[in-house]
Amino acid sequence: MKFKTNEMIKASLFIALGLVLPFAFHQIGLGQALLPMHIPVLLCGFILGGRYGIIVGLITPFLSSILTGMPPIYPAALSMALELATYGFVSGYLYKKKNTNIFLSLIISMLLGRLVSGTTNYLLLSMAGKPYAFTIFITASFITPISGIILQLVLIPVIVKSLYKIQKGTTVNG
C-alpha cells in the first residue's frame, strides 16, 4: 500500500478540520445538531478515497478526545471512530471505486455509519450493564442530528463537485 505525500497532506488537513469545526460548533451550542466532525471525514472519502477516509475517520474522534475532551473516549469516541471510519471508507469506495452517484454514495455511507454506531453503542453499553434501546438509537442517529443530516446532504455534494471542477480547471489550464 503506497501513500502519496500530497494525499497525506490533504488527509492531515481533513483531520485538522475534524478537530477545529466541532470545537467551533460546540462553542456556539451547535455541535450535536450539525455533526461538524462528520463533514471533513465524508469529504475525505469522496476526495481521497476509502483508504484515507477510513484512516481519517478512525483517528479524528480519538485525537479530538485527547486534545479537547470531546467526545469522551468511552463509549462516544470509540463508537464515533467506527461510525466515521465507515463513512470515510464507504463514501470513497462507492464514489471513487464504483463510480456511484454522489447522493447515493452519501446516503448509503450515512446509513451504514449510523448502523455501525448503533451496533457499537448497543454492544458497549450492554457490556457495561446500561440500556440502549431502539428508540435511543433512532433519536440519537436520526432525530437529534436531523439538521446535520440535511446540512451534509446539501453541503457535501456541492463542495465535492466544486473541488473536482477546480481541480479539473487547474489541470487543464495550468
Side-chain angles (χ1 to χ4, degrees), residues 17-88:
L17 277 173
L19 299 174
V20 172
L21 285 178
F23 184 78
F25 278 61
H26 279 286
Q27 296 302 311
I28 56 174
L30 294 174
Q32 271 190 308
L34 296 181
L35 310 170
M37 193 179 292
H38 297 200
I39 294 168
V41 173
L42 284 163
L43 287 172
C44 180
F46 280 110
I47 293 164
L48 298 177
R51 176 172 55 162
Y52 286 97
I54 199 170
I55 293 168
V56 170
L58 281 172
I59 291 172
T60 306
F62 289 119
L63 198 53
S64 179
S65 184
I66 291 165
L67 296 173
T68 69
M70 301 180 308
I73 290 279
Y74 183 88
L78 180 55
S79 175
M80 277 185 74
L82 296 175
E83 173 188 19
L84 296 181
T86 303
Y87 287 167

Side-chain angles (χ1 to χ4, degrees), residues 97-118:
K97 289 278 190 202
K98 295 296 182 183
N99 296 315
T100 306
N101 172 286
I102 191 168
F103 292 104
L104 186 57
S105 298
L106 181 57
I107 290 167
I108 291 171
S109 300
M110 292 166 70
L111 289 172
L112 288 177
R114 282 171 171 74
L115 181 62
V116 167
S117 174

Side-chain angles (χ1 to χ4, degrees), residues 100 127 149:
T100 306
M127 288 189 297
I149 291 168

